[in-house]
Amino acid sequence: MSRLQITDAPAPGNSVVPSEDAHQSEYTAECDNRRAWISGFTGSAGCAVITQDTAAMFTDGRYFLQASKELRNGWTLMKQGLPGIPTWKEYLSKNLSPGTRIGVDASLISTADAIALDKELAKVSSKIVPLAVNLVDEIREDRPARPVDPIKEHPIKYAGQSRQSKLQNLQSVLEQKGYDGMVVSSLDEIAWLLNLRGSDIHCCPVFFAYCTVTRDSCVLYIGNANDRLTKQLRRDLDPIVRIREYNQIFEDLNQAREQRQRYMIDPDSTNFSIVQALGGIVKTSPITLAKAMKNEVELNGVRECHKRDAAAVSRHFAWLEDTLCNKGTPLLEAEAAVHLESMRQQNPEYVGMSFDTIAASGPNGAIIHYQPSATHSARIDPRQIYLCDSGAHYIDGTTDITRTYLFAGEASEFQKRAYTRVLQSHIALDRSVFPSGTTGNNLFLAGYQLDAIARAPMWQDGLDFRHGTGHGVGAYLNVHEGPHGIGTREIYRQIALQPGMIVTNEPGYYQDGQFGIRIENVLIVDKAKTAFSFGGQDYLGFEHVTLVPLGKRLLDPQLLSESEREWINAYHQLCREVLEPRLQRDPRALEWVGKETERIE
């Protein structure tokens, strides 16, 4: 790390503009949307590399189509994961002359990326130049102010564990591992650890802060604390959490460094300026896994919020079909998204959307993270496949659901076959039973291996999709939560699925320029009942908590096995049992649920 020192020297002619903010957030506040501002590409994942002669945008398969439409003139789209396409780190080391200097904002690049890039560049005698100022901010005249919204308590009746207990557990880990302290930088980890919630980032119940925890203390660094914390919340925090201004963390870390204190720093969630201030030891945060394994109070909240959400979503789809097909009223995608939110808002436990709704008609469905707006929105054609991916935060949980429907007309043979294969993939994962464990040594433990089980029904027809099969979900926290998931990312090979984890099941298929298909439920990892227990081994399976009918009109029953038909009928029976009592005052929705859950013979 000695090569990496912040400089006030003139900026080099090459720079990296990552997507993330100082806390490595996937979704960022408007003031931190630097990569989107400089390039035009608004997707949540990507890295911009700007040299004296070129501008390249690196992103993954979820965003190939979107980036190709949004990138401004002069940008080259680098489709990560395709043969022959380097990573952005490889691109810098192989495409620039030896001895090149690459400017980065040390407060935005993760410690892991900074170290990896430095090693890659050292091979060609090039190096990173951590800059004292952000080059995009220097030229961006319309940059909004950083949000400082109120911070609120997340009551223990929903959290299931007090902040005192969580801090004590973390302090015990520090003592056992021989660390003096830890820097907590990830915003959702801070919110979870201290049972606090905010709204500084759109659709994410978090707030801008740093936190340090030592063996006997905890400090929360936030801006404008007196305006953001009520007197009562301040009194509740005072016995165990000291409040300091946001930027004072660097002064405190410098002091800790002078005292040669050993601090734990997560390389993936902590920016490199923190490491430069402290010189800490890079170690995966123990909070990440603790947060992912929900307690029983959180799990019960997740179950209940999904029942309320299912009723709201079903009311919306019943209205949508009636409006389009029976009344013949034209609707824009954005208008449908607004109506869906209005259905959820009727729940007193509703807090907000967990991400902007993807309401996509026909070819827009092939844009995996398509987002309609009031100014750019297509008219919904009931005779074209309609994909809707949406979610909400409730005080007791977070939802994420995708359904694909055809409201009128007949689907083509290929569309039905593709939809049915996607559903079979969904069923294959939902029914999976696998050995439990705490490490990735057993190949049947991790989401990396389960991904192949999910894709197998599609592979037999030569179909596939360029996104993960599933991601973790927070409990009234970020809709995308690690460290676990189901897909081909390397981290999913290392992290075992464990009881209490929440993960999505969302295979899909996308025909560019024509349609998109995705079916998504939220699952809870739980112990499975098996006839035997080889070697005393426990086995795990899934409990689905999303309960909204599937798209019957797109299904080809002839492709289904008997057991798959039984799964669909059992799932729809459960949907009826949950939804019918909640829809008694909405005859239209009640009729729609009955129609969509008729038995498949």
Side-chain angles (χ1 to χ4, degrees):
M1 299 184 197
S2 60
R3 286 163 40 96
L4 307 181
Q5 301 297 324
I6 290 181
T7 180
D8 290 312
N14 312 287
S15 62
V16 175
V17 184
S19 299
E20 295 78 16
D21 60 16
H23 303 273
Q24 301 305 298
S25 306
E26 177 186 12
Y27 299 110
T28 57
E30 188 62 33
C31 60
D32 291 319
N33 290 345
R34 298 174 179 88
R35 189 222 63 216
W37 184 87
I38 198 72
S39 70
F41 168 52
T42 62
S44 65
C47 183
V49 174
I50 304 171
T51 72
Q52 295 178 345
D53 305 311
T54 62
M57 177 62 63
F58 294 77
T59 192
D60 61 57
R62 295 172 296 169
Y63 295 106
F64 290 169
L65 198 53
Q66 179 180 343
S68 68
K69 293 176 178 291
E70 291 184 341
L71 282 173
R72 298 192 179 102
N73 292 336
W75 284 84
T76 299
L77 174 59
M78 305 296 287
K79 298 181 177 181
Q80 291 182 148
L82 295 188
I85 302 298
T87 66
W88 63 268
K89 302 179 190 70
E90 293 169 340
Y91 177 88
L92 284 168
S93 66
K94 295 177 180 178
N95 287 59
L96 299 181
S97 302
T100 298
R101 299 161 68 239
I102 294 97
V104 297
D105 182 340
S107 71
L108 298 183
I109 190 170
S110 72
T111 297
D113 278 346
I115 294 173
L117 179 56
D118 188 54
K119 289 181 179 178
E120 187 73 27
L121 294 177
K123 299 175 184 177
V124 291
S125 301
S126 295
K127 68 175 183 177
I128 300 175
V129 180
L131 303 174
V133 297
N134 186 280
L135 301 181
V136 175
D137 292 349
E138 289 289 290
I139 63 173
R140 184 180 180 182
E141 297 178 353
D142 60 347
R143 187 183 177 215
R146 184 166 299 283
V148 285
D149 293 342
I151 298 170
K152 59 186 179 182
E153 179 87 32
H154 185 51
I156 193 169
K157 68 177 181 178
Y158 302 119
Q161 185 181 8
S162 69
R163 66 173 66 92
Q164 292 94 328
S165 174
K166 293 177 181 179
L167 283 169
Q168 288 170 0
N169 290 344
L170 180 56
Q171 288 165 337
S172 295
V173 172
L174 295 175
E175 186 171 357
Q176 292 168 8
K177 302 288 186 181
Y179 294 108
D180 295 302
M182 175 181 175
V183 176
V184 188
S185 175
S186 180
L187 301 184
D188 65 330
E189 291 192 4
I190 296 171
W192 176 87
L193 180 67
L194 300 180
N195 286 349
L196 300 173
R197 297 295 188 268
S199 57
D200 284 354
I201 296 179
H202 179 59
C203 292
C204 300
V206 297
F207 51 93
F208 288 110
Y210 289 105
C211 181
T212 57
V213 180
T214 69
R215 297 186 189 185
D216 58 6
S217 70
C218 175
V219 181
L220 177 64
Y221 300 86
I222 56 174
N224 301 88
N226 291 334
D227 297 330
R228 307 181 71 187
L229 302 174
T230 65
K231 291 181 180 179
Q232 181 59 54
L233 181 53
R234 190 70 178 258
R235 284 194 292 267
D236 292 341
L237 290 170
D238 274 345
I240 58 171
V241 180
R242 191 158 60 98
I243 306 297
R244 284 176 60 79
E245 273 297 316
Y246 182 78
N247 286 323
Q248 286 181 318
I249 186 172
F250 295 98
E251 175 186 334
D252 291 352
L253 293 182
N254 279 323
Q255 291 180 3
R257 182 172 190 167
E258 291 173 1
Q259 297 169 6
R260 298 184 180 278
Q261 294 183 357
R262 300 177 74 250
Y263 269 62
M264 181 189 300
I265 294 177
D266 188 289
D268 295 310
S269 63
T270 309
N271 71 66
F272 194 68
S273 68
I274 295 291
V275 173
Q276 290 180 310
L278 181 61
I281 298 171
V282 175
K283 187 76 173 178
T284 300
S285 169
I287 299 174
T288 307
L289 189 58
K291 174 168 57 66
M293 298 174 65
K294 311 303 188 274
N295 59 52
E296 279 304 314
V297 171
E298 291 174 313
L299 292 176
N300 286 333
V302 167
R303 294 183 181 102
E304 289 304 310
C305 81
H306 274 83
K307 293 175 183 177
R308 294 192 297 270
D309 197 66
V313 173
S314 295
R315 290 181 64 200
H316 164 70
F317 282 128
W319 167 86
L320 186 58
E321 183 177 271
D322 182 50
T323 302
L324 292 171
C325 300
N326 298 332
K327 297 178 180 177
T329 304
L331 281 174
L332 298 177
E333 296 161 328
E335 292 174 321
V338 169
H339 181 270
L340 175 53
E341 183 176 7
S342 73
M343 294 294 99
R344 286 173 161 136
Q345 287 173 334
Q346 295 178 26
N347 287 289
E349 298 88 353
Y350 175 85
V351 178
M353 303 300 288
S354 57
F355 57 96
D356 288 319
T357 295
I358 299 169
S361 179
N364 289 337
I367 305 173
I368 296 173
H369 280 192
Y370 172 78
Q371 181 184 324
S373 68
T375 56
H376 295 88
S377 183
R379 179 177 291 185
I380 300 173
D381 183 345
R383 294 180 177 274
Q384 289 192 322
I385 291 177
Y386 180 75
L387 185 154
C388 182
D389 187 346
S390 69
H393 293 299
Y394 298 89
I395 191 66
D396 52 355
T398 296
T399 70
D400 186 359
I401 171 177
T402 308
R403 287 295 181 267
T404 306
Y405 295 121
L406 181 66
F407 297 115
E410 279 295 319
S412 70
E413 182 179 339
F414 174 67
Q415 289 173 331
K416 286 187 175 182
R417 191 175 188 92
Y419 180 88
T420 305
R421 292 304 189 205
V422 170
L423 179 56
Q424 288 172 313
S425 290
H426 182 95
I427 294 171
L429 179 59
D430 183 277
R431 297 192 304 187
S432 295
V433 175
F434 49 96
S436 67
T438 56
T439 72
N441 293 330
N442 186 328
L443 291 181
F444 295 99
L445 299 180
Y448 187 95
Q449 286 73 32
L450 289 175
D451 183 72
I453 294 175
R455 293 177 192 261
M458 297 185 64
W459 286 346
Q460 66 178 310
D461 270 5
L463 304 177
D464 208 343
F465 50 97
R466 291 192 179 109
H467 59 73
T469 301
H471 57 81
V473 180
Y476 180 29
L477 266 177
N478 292 351
V479 71
H480 290 170
E481 179 180 89
H484 63 291
I486 299 171
T488 56
R489 293 176 58 190
E490 182 60 30
I491 186 65
Y492 298 158
R493 187 198 298 267
Q494 303 167 10
I495 301 296
L497 295 178
Q498 300 179 49
M501 287 181 168
I502 299 174
V503 67
T504 61
N505 175 6
E506 50 181 307
Y509 178 74
Y510 311 91
Q511 189 72 27
D512 286 356
Q514 297 184 35
F515 63 88
I517 295 167
R518 185 161 64 251
I519 303 170
E520 178 183 19
N521 282 355
V522 169
L523 309 176
I524 294 174
V525 182
D526 200 0
K527 290 185 178 180
K529 295 179 181 179
T530 56
F532 306 98
S533 179
F534 178 77
Q537 174 75 60
D538 287 333
Y539 286 77
L540 302 177
F542 297 112
E543 169 194 353
H544 43 245
V545 294
T546 306
L547 297 168
V548 174
L550 304 164
K552 190 176 64 174
R553 186 187 288 268
L554 286 166
L555 192 62
D556 183 353
Q558 301 303 315
L559 295 176
L560 298 171
S561 68
E562 184 60 33
S563 65
E564 289 168 338
R565 288 192 186 91
E566 291 175 359
W567 184 95
I568 294 170
N569 289 331
Y571 177 77
H572 279 158
Q573 176 62 32
L574 183 58
C575 288
R576 285 195 299 273
E577 292 171 2
V578 167
L579 292 171
E580 287 176 352
R582 290 170 169 79
L583 297 175
Q584 290 301 311
R585 296 184 179 181
D586 191 335
R588 178 175 56 193
L590 199 60
E591 180 183 357
W592 180 84
V593 168
K595 172 175 67 74
E596 293 295 329
T597 58
E598 292 174 351
R599 285 187 60 84
I600 297 174
E601 302 297 342

